[in-house]
Amino acid sequence: MTQDEMERLVINHVDVIEQTQGYVVFTYKQVKIALISDVKHDRMRMISPITEYAKVTTKQKDLIMEANFHSALDARYASSNDTLYSAFIHPRS
């Protein structure tokens, strides 16, 4: 799948908030999601906020880190600016 095909697939099925080549922010079922793709590095990511990181308990953080290591495969969890995110990272091709 080319970058254009991937972006067109998303754009045709969701409410787009912002779009430039390689970057589409949209909502799906009231969830804000960013699709970021890079042809040069053959990678794509879909990133979505889950909750405020400060609200995540120590037990939940431990489970998240364990999942990142053992079972998440292409899905990951990350934090930035006090937000916990889910991230799906995969070769774009």
Side-chain angles (χ1 to χ4, degrees):
M1 178 176 290
T2 69
Q3 182 171 356
D4 289 338
E5 289 170 331
M6 182 174 55
E7 290 178 10
R8 196 169 30 257
L9 178 68
V10 169
I11 291 164
N12 289 337
H13 291 90
V14 297
D15 296 323
V16 174
I17 298 170
E18 181 180 349
Q19 176 192 2
T20 61
Q21 182 70 34
Y23 181 75
V24 180
V25 178
F26 59 94
T27 58
Y28 178 74
K29 294 188 178 182
Q30 300 177 334
V31 176
K32 187 176 179 181
I33 301 170
L35 168 63
I36 304 163
S37 58
D38 184 331
V39 172
K40 180 180 174 185
H41 294 102
D42 191 34
R43 301 302 287 173
M44 60 83 65
R45 293 179 292 248
M46 293 186 82
I47 301 168
S48 178
I50 298 172
T51 190
E52 292 177 40
Y53 193 72
K55 293 181 178 179
V56 180
T57 67
T58 300
K59 174 81 171 161
Q60 289 170 323
K61 290 175 187 175
D62 289 345
L63 291 170
I64 288 166
M65 293 303 293
E66 203 170 299
N68 271 352
F69 188 77
H70 288 292
S71 61
L73 300 177
D74 293 329
R76 294 282 186 261
Y77 301 94
S79 66
S80 179
N81 298 324
D82 192 41
T83 302
L84 175 65
Y85 290 91
S86 64
F88 175 78
I89 304 165
H90 199 274
R92 186 198 48 78
S93 60

